[in-house]
Amino acid sequence: MTVKQKAVVIGAGLGGLSAAMRLAGDGYDVTVLEKNERIGGKLNQRSGKGFTFDTGPSILTMPWVLEQLFNSVHRNVDDYMDIVRIEPQWKTFFEDGTTLNVLSDIPDMLNEMKKVKPDPGHSFMKFLSYSQDMYDLCMKSFYKTSITGLKDLKQQHTLKELLSMDPFNTVADSTKKHFDNKYLEQLFNFFVMYVGSNPYQSPAILNQLVYVQLGLGIHYVKGGMYNIARGMKNVLDELRVDVRTDTPVSHIHLENDAATGVVTEDGDYVPADIVVSNLEVIPAYETLLPKNGRTKKEVKSLSKTYEPTVSGLVLLLGTDREFPQLEHHNFFFSEDPEKEFKQIFEKGVPADDPTIYIGVSSKTDPSQAPEGKENLFVLTHVPPKTAMKKKGDWDRYREVVLDKLERMGLTGLRSSIEFEYEFNPDTLEELYGANGGSIYGIAANKDTNGGFKIPARSQLYDNLYFSGGSTHPGGGVPMVTLSGQLTADLIKEDQKAKAKKAQ
């Protein structure tokens, strides 16, 4: 009888859980080690006084990624969670009182856009077609394989296709070209915040996120987004994967520059043929590997090219009333988006006038709040700790956020709060080991990294791989879930190549 190869996954975020599912499906004996008491990483849940909140992602796009993952281990995702479409997708509020709903029905969406642009049809259809072309190109490469840079991309695309990716423009350049309308530019530029990046710096290929949402729809998982993690855990149990919570890792054990296992903080040694770190790459090198010259050099080099995305101030607010003007997903936009992004990304300070997202899952799923009350998930993006010019005063910034929301129509919000919980860059870094409290891993920057992420295969140590938001294809529920699958594919390829070499 052949002995199964062993794989250890560090971190039970979605990237780690996804990699564990695939590796188990590929025949590995898999152990997952999670330092917190619950699996899920940033996708988690908190509750109190009858309110339930998803603490991380609240929007699900590209559900095909979950379908593909579950199919790969001969399971049907619908047996493990109830995925529903959300309409309207977003409601957006502008400072001058204008509101626009984002709708997947094209005629209805065109009617909405007429509020701010007399004849939006031609420019919108052209933009949607451009966005879909970008998505289709990515389906050929970005979403199929673990890409490390332009060289990999060139192997998978013709020159004509590469030029169709609009490589010389940023997201904001191309929305301006299509619309030349401050409302629509601000609206469509903000889609890139799904991956925590700056539209004035991100490569234009990320405009595909508009098609991802409008063409494929946005979704919610009944009972809370945390049911994605629960569904994955149920499959892992069926596959006999050993998932250990409350088990922080001390370090990755190396022999002859190859990972051979993991040592927990309790001193247990878990041997492995393959180690996958779902902790972000830079923190993993800094905290789990030897502090020698090579590691320090690698961290320095990676830090130059791959900056962390934004962090956030998150307020979970249980209110004693309903706010009828809100939908399931809402954005309260800043007056001056260029100034907002400049402050966050260049000056390293929280924006004076931030864009604020509010998710109210009880609008779709009444089980999430007591009757007549609502669960408001309030998120404002702020610089990661690595970019902050001075320590954040989050109590003061909470007031900035609540002042803006009350000014823009949520009258009486402060006095309605009967449950509150807060996350900020410090707590995000502490809980999830995220670089500077980053929410989405690595920021896409046309000039420094071309939108590429850190390679999933360690450049320093054999048998060590990475998954999660800092690796390809990036942050957000579908992307990190896909990262685990693509890392497992890469491991399979490498093992085949090794076996061939050994023959």
Side-chain angles (χ1 to χ4, degrees):
M1 193 177 108
T2 54
V3 178
K4 275 188 169 190
Q5 282 209 304
K6 292 181 187 302
V8 171
V9 178
I10 303 168
L14 290 183
L17 294 173
S18 164
M21 276 173 71
R22 273 293 318 278
L23 288 167
D26 289 346
Y28 283 86
D29 178 356
V30 184
T31 303
V32 181
L33 305 175
E34 167 56 51
K35 76 164 186 163
N36 291 318
E37 60 179 312
R38 294 155 68 93
I39 62 162
K42 296 187 198 91
L43 178 104
N44 232 295
Q45 204 169 52
R46 213 160 259 274
S47 53
K49 295 197 176 172
F51 299 96
T52 304
F53 300 87
D54 287 307
T55 60
S58 54
I59 294 177
L60 174 62
T61 56
M62 294 166 61
W64 64 261
V65 172
L66 288 171
E67 287 165 17
Q68 174 180 286
L69 172 64
F70 279 69
N71 287 342
S72 74
V73 289
H74 313 294
R75 304 292 193 282
N76 181 343
V77 72
D78 298 326
D79 294 337
Y80 295 85
M81 63 195 79
D82 186 5
I83 298 172
V84 293
R85 270 182 87 120
I86 301 295
E87 199 69 36
Q89 297 184 336
W90 295 354
K91 184 173 182 180
T92 57
F93 297 77
F94 294 84
E95 281 280 354
D96 63 3
T98 301
T99 61
L100 287 177
N101 280 328
V102 177
L103 306 159
S104 58
D105 182 86
I106 301 295
D108 288 351
M109 184 67 197
L110 287 170
N111 273 336
E112 278 293 304
M113 291 162 76
K114 280 177 188 163
K115 292 179 185 175
V116 295
K117 190 174 167 77
D119 184 18
H122 177 68
S123 50
F124 178 61
M125 295 314 290
K126 206 171 160 194
F127 182 66
L128 203 52
S129 165
Y130 155 87
S131 173
Q132 182 173 358
D133 288 347
M134 298 277 205
Y135 174 78
D136 290 342
L137 286 169
C138 282
M139 284 300 284
K140 276 184 75 171
S141 57
F142 268 85
Y143 300 145
K144 285 276 187 289
T145 182
S146 194
I147 284 174
T148 60
L150 195 55
K151 190 175 161 218
D152 287 352
L153 211 55
K154 282 177 173 169
Q155 288 174 347
Q156 310 212 25
H157 290 283
T158 62
L159 181 61
K160 188 181 175 200
E161 285 175 339
L162 289 171
L163 291 172
S164 303
M165 292 177 181
D166 202 3
F168 305 112
N169 285 311
T170 63
V171 163
D173 292 335
S174 85
T175 50
K176 185 156 193 61
K177 231 187 276 178
H178 281 91
F179 295 108
D180 198 17
N181 175 289
K182 71 172 190 172
Y183 298 98
L184 299 180
E185 285 175 54
Q186 187 170 13
L187 169 64
F188 291 119
N189 281 345
F190 214 79
F191 278 64
V192 81
M193 287 310 272
Y194 271 134
V195 293
S197 299
N198 178 351
Y200 303 97
Q201 292 173 343
S202 305
I205 191 155
L206 287 173
N207 273 313
Q208 63 167 296
L209 293 168
V210 174
Y211 174 73
V212 162
Q213 177 165 325
L214 293 176
L216 307 179
I218 69 171
H219 303 76
Y220 168 74
V221 178
K222 276 286 184 67
M225 296 284 280
Y226 191 65
N227 279 344
I228 297 174
R230 285 195 182 108
M232 288 186 180
K233 173 68 166 63
N234 289 340
V235 172
L236 290 171
D237 289 345
E238 291 165 16
L239 297 171
R240 300 193 176 164
V241 170
D242 181 10
V243 179
R244 302 181 200 171
T245 50
D246 287 315
T247 310
V249 167
S250 157
H251 60 275
I252 293 165
H253 185 72
L254 300 170
E255 284 174 26
N256 303 324
D257 283 344
T260 57
V262 162
V263 179
T264 70
E265 283 188 2
D266 287 344
D268 292 337
Y269 174 56
V270 187
D273 299 284
I274 295 292
V275 174
V276 177
S277 170
N278 192 54
L279 173 62
E280 284 182 22
V281 180
I282 291 171
Y285 276 123
E286 287 174 328
T287 62
L288 299 178
L289 289 154
K291 290 176 174 44
N292 57 28
R294 289 173 67 208
T295 308
K296 282 178 184 162
K297 193 177 166 195
E298 179 76 346
V299 166
K300 200 175 172 187
S301 156
L302 292 174
S303 301
K304 246 188 223 158
T305 311
Y306 304 102
E307 297 161 0
T309 66
V310 287
S311 185
L313 175 67
V314 177
L315 304 174
L316 307 178
L317 306 178
T319 62
D320 66 8
R321 69 191 74 167
E322 295 176 347
F323 290 90
Q325 65 272 56
L326 295 178
E327 295 288 348
H328 188 137
H329 299 297
N330 311 270
F331 286 91
F332 290 78
F333 283 136
S334 59
E335 177 75 49
D336 182 347
E338 280 199 60
K339 181 185 173 192
E340 175 191 13
F341 282 103
K342 195 162 256 164
Q343 286 184 312
I344 296 172
F345 283 88
E346 290 170 38
K347 296 190 171 167
V349 294
D352 303 330
D353 172 31
T355 292
I356 301 166
Y357 163 77
I358 301 185
V360 194
S361 61
S362 58
K363 296 276 186 196
T364 299
D365 187 353
S367 73
Q368 302 295 286
E371 201 176 337
K373 301 181 179 188
E374 287 184 330
N375 64 338
L376 274 58
F377 171 93
V378 181
L379 167 66
T380 311
H381 288 125
V382 301
K385 285 172 70 175
T386 49
M388 287 276 277
K389 292 294 182 268
K390 59 179 186 188
K391 195 164 165 37
D393 180 348
W394 304 120
D395 290 341
R396 191 195 68 78
Y397 206 57
R398 171 189 181 271
E399 300 311 311
V400 171
V401 170
L402 296 179
D403 285 347
K404 179 181 171 89
L405 292 174
E406 290 198 325
R407 186 183 75 241
M408 289 181 75
L410 297 191
T411 315
L413 173 60
R414 266 190 185 84
S415 60
S416 76
I417 298 168
E418 58 177 48
F419 174 88
E420 180 168 358
Y421 195 88
E422 178 191 299
F423 293 92
N424 60 50
D426 296 315
T427 46
L428 290 166
E429 183 178 56
E430 195 185 309
L431 279 168
Y432 310 118
N435 194 12
S438 146
I439 294 179
Y440 312 94
I442 299 294
N445 186 318
K446 190 167 82 71
D447 298 330
T448 58
N449 56 40
F452 295 105
K453 302 293 181 273
I454 301 177
R457 181 198 294 115
S458 170
Q459 308 297 292
L460 291 188
Y461 302 108
D462 281 346
N463 305 334
L464 174 59
Y465 296 83
F466 301 98
S467 63
S470 62
T471 65
H472 178 81
V477 175
M479 302 302 178
V480 291
T481 305
L482 199 50
S483 80
Q485 299 176 52
L486 297 179
T487 296
D489 286 340
L490 183 62
I491 290 167
K492 198 188 237 180
E493 270 171 47
D494 287 355
Q495 294 305 305
K496 270 186 192 161
K498 273 184 187 172
K500 207 172 177 185
K501 213 173 171 184
Q503 279 172 1

